[in-house]
Amino acid sequence: MANLTGVALREVCAQTITISGIEVRSATADELVEALAAKGLVRGAEVAGLQRRAVVTLARRLKPEMVNDFSQAVDEVERAVEIALDVIGKGERGADED
């Protein structure tokens, strides 16, 4: 009825089902940054002028209740990094060059 990677229920007939021992946790900022680093985004951000600690700060600001899973969390932090890089680029070009 259950396996190590999840729960599989088939043809269960019961009025009350009690499930215990389930832990749901959100990804840590370090895990998100490591996922971005694996994609090469952190190094690219550093080359463009965004320090790693800024990427960590962006990852820490992500609210766990706003994402459904780890992949979406990575995507959200990646987008935040892209926005930060856009802001840096605009600052280097000058505010009047949009």
Side-chain angles (χ1 to χ4, degrees), residues 25-91:
R25 69 172 187 84
S26 59
T28 67
D30 289 337
E31 290 170 328
L32 292 171
V33 172
E34 288 306 314
L36 294 173
K39 295 172 81 173
L41 185 69
V42 174
R43 182 68 188 127
E46 289 174 329
V47 168
L50 186 66
Q51 297 179 356
R52 183 181 186 93
R53 69 177 180 222
V55 176
V56 172
T57 299
L58 291 170
R60 286 185 180 143
R61 295 181 74 182
L62 182 68
K63 293 177 174 49
E65 64 273 7
M66 300 301 287
V67 294
N68 295 321
D69 57 25
F70 184 77
S71 178
Q72 184 184 3
V74 171
D75 290 345
E76 293 293 332
V77 176
E78 184 172 355
R79 181 66 186 130
V81 169
E82 290 170 357
I83 291 168
L85 291 174
D86 286 346
V87 170
I88 289 171
K90 285 180 182 179

Side-chain angles (χ1 to χ4, degrees), residues 7 18-24:
V7 177
T18 303
I19 300 173
S20 62
I22 297 175
E23 179 183 329
V24 178

Side-chain angles (χ1 to χ4, degrees), residues 1-20 22:
M1 207 183 249
N3 60 44
L4 295 176
T5 58
V7 177
L9 302 173
R10 291 185 181 80
E11 299 179 33
V12 175
C13 298
Q15 291 180 344
T16 303
I17 298 174
T18 303
I19 300 173
S20 62
I22 297 175

